[in-house]
Amino acid sequence: VRRVLFRSRPFCLDQGEMVLEKIHIGRHCAIGAKSSVAPGAIVPPGTCIGPLSSSYEMHDSVRANRDTCRPAFRGPHWALVTFVGYPIMFLVTCIPLLPWIGNLFLMVNTAMADNWFEEINKLYDLLVWFTTPERIGFHILGKVIRGTVSPILYLACCVLTKWCVIGKFTPGLRNRSEWNIFKHWLMSQLMPGKDLGGVTHLVGTHYDVVSWVYRMLGASIGARVYWPGSGLETCEFDLLTVGDDVTFG
């Protein structure tokens, strides 16, 4: 088997039982995103199953489906990744840590003001310093900052990057220019959907705050949307439209 571009789980449930059978994949096959290959399926060589499809629809296979297979997409140019992408990712990752770093800085300065470092001469003194109520308070504050403030700042940085650097994603055939490929790569690295940088763990996964976040990222979202607990796996938020009173299972 060569150049098979897909992920497969060769089992399913049928009448309450797990069905596990061999899957035969021919050469040069491409199976699109979110497509399923049924247990026991035989996929002939050169078959190109489109996204959101299955092996039961191989009669609809056309060679053009290969262009929609994500693993076959060309990656961004190394220069853009190295000199633009990684510095942006570094800033977006580090800025949310500044409050936590400030807490550490304050803890060290407090210890220096109390001459703690001059009084630590043996292991017992070090253990006493680590277990002082003030030191434990700084540690708890640091955990609170990492769990509450940092995810919100990270999301804010991602939204600003989307507005100022990435811009809008447009419908239609994907532009294969270097900058457009880089935009898709950068957005998928910063905010691939799912838990929205950890914010959904704070505000809940189903409610209006999630809708607000998607709107800030460019999506068109209606009212009273009940979101899935696992989040949506997408990075092209401008192409997402959800109407009113929608419930995701």
Side-chain angles (χ1 to χ4, degrees), residues 144-227:
V144 170
I145 291 174
R146 288 292 298 271
T148 58
V149 178
S150 294
I152 295 174
L153 288 178
Y154 180 81
L155 176 62
C157 291
C158 289
V159 171
L160 287 175
T161 303
K162 172 71 168 58
W163 291 352
C164 301
V165 179
I166 297 175
K168 294 189 66 174
F169 294 104
T170 56
L173 292 176
R174 179 174 294 188
N175 185 342
R176 298 300 177 90
S177 67
E178 291 294 342
W179 179 250
N180 199 59
I181 294 174
F182 171 75
K183 288 198 309 179
H184 283 81
W185 174 84
L186 181 60
M187 196 71 231
S188 66
Q189 296 296 313
L190 294 177
M191 187 67 63
K194 297 293 185 180
D195 62 354
L196 299 177
V199 170
T200 57
H201 298 304
L202 298 175
V203 301
T205 55
H206 306 300
Y207 306 112
D208 281 345
V209 175
V210 178
S211 299
W212 299 343
V213 173
Y214 278 120
R215 292 187 190 107
M216 287 189 294
L217 290 168
S220 177
I221 309 297
R224 300 174 299 278
V225 177
Y226 191 86
W227 296 97

Side-chain angles (χ1 to χ4, degrees), residues 127-149:
L127 293 176
V128 170
W129 178 71
F130 267 99
T131 56
T132 56
E134 188 177 26
R135 170 68 173 79
I136 294 175
F138 277 116
H139 178 70
I140 294 175
L141 179 60
K143 297 289 285 185
V144 170
I145 291 174
R146 288 292 298 271
T148 58
V149 178

Side-chain angles (χ1 to χ4, degrees), residues 31-186:
I31 299 175
K34 304 296 184 181
S35 291
S36 300
V37 180
I42 299 176
V43 182
T47 301
C48 303
I49 299 176
L52 297 171
S53 185
S54 75
S55 56
Y56 294 113
E57 300 176 86
M58 285 189 289
H59 59 278
D60 292 332
S61 169
V62 292
R63 187 166 296 275
N65 288 336
R66 184 179 295 273
D67 294 335
T68 65
C69 192
R70 288 181 182 176
F73 290 174
R74 181 169 62 87
H77 193 275
W78 66 268
L80 281 173
V81 172
T82 303
F83 298 111
V84 181
Y86 288 152
I88 291 176
M89 292 171 60
F90 177 78
L91 289 175
V92 171
T93 303
C94 289
I95 290 175
L97 296 178
L98 291 179
W100 177 72
I101 294 173
N103 177 67
L104 293 180
F105 182 77
L106 182 60
M107 181 187 68
V108 172
N109 276 1
T110 301
M112 292 177 61
D114 296 338
N115 296 320
W116 263 104
F117 296 128
E118 297 178 3
E119 298 175 3
I120 297 177
N121 299 313
K122 50 188 177 181
L123 180 61
Y124 174 78
D125 297 332
L126 183 63
L127 293 176
V128 170
W129 178 71
F130 267 99
T131 56
T132 56
E134 188 177 26
R135 170 68 173 79
I136 294 175
F138 277 116
H139 178 70
I140 294 175
L141 179 60
K143 297 289 285 185
V144 170
I145 291 174
R146 288 292 298 271
T148 58
V149 178
S150 294
I152 295 174
L153 288 178
Y154 180 81
L155 176 62
C157 291
C158 289
V159 171
L160 287 175
T161 303
K162 172 71 168 58
W163 291 352
C164 301
V165 179
I166 297 175
K168 294 189 66 174
F169 294 104
T170 56
L173 292 176
R174 179 174 294 188
N175 185 342
R176 298 300 177 90
S177 67
E178 291 294 342
W179 179 250
N180 199 59
I181 294 174
F182 171 75
K183 288 198 309 179
H184 283 81
W185 174 84
L186 181 60

